[in-house]
Amino acid sequence: MQNRLEELRKKRGINQEELAAVLEVSRQTISSLENGRYNPSILLAFKIARFFDLSIEDIFIYEEDIP
């Protein structure tokens, strides 16, 4: 799953550490999310969406495998 987290974070002018503190996760979690190595729990996805005042779908791009 792709996401716009890094783009949105940079637009807001905050670093990974600051975003991690607000979301109560580690900086490594933010890094893993931004690099697509980790998909967030639904709770974390909602926290991120609320922080950026966007919908989950505006941040996370789900690409369904269509046969």
Side-chain angles (χ1 to χ4, degrees):
M1 177 167 46
Q2 297 179 336
N3 67 70
R4 299 176 50 220
L5 189 56
E6 183 176 10
E7 167 198 342
L8 295 167
R9 177 181 57 75
K10 288 180 176 180
K11 212 180 268 190
R12 182 72 61 104
I14 61 174
N15 63 33
Q16 289 181 341
E17 191 72 39
E18 292 166 326
L19 181 58
V22 169
L23 299 174
E24 300 177 316
V25 297
S26 69
R27 186 205 56 78
Q28 290 83 358
T29 296
I30 300 301
S31 177
S32 292
L33 284 166
E34 289 183 354
N35 291 310
R37 292 189 309 262
Y38 173 72
N39 290 327
S41 67
I42 192 69
L43 181 60
L44 181 54
F46 273 109
K47 282 183 172 183
I48 292 167
R50 283 199 183 122
F51 178 78
F52 289 108
D53 197 29
L54 295 169
S55 71
I56 290 173
E57 293 87 354
D58 288 334
I59 300 169
F60 298 94
I61 300 100
Y62 174 69
E63 296 173 350
E64 189 172 338
D65 291 336
I66 300 172

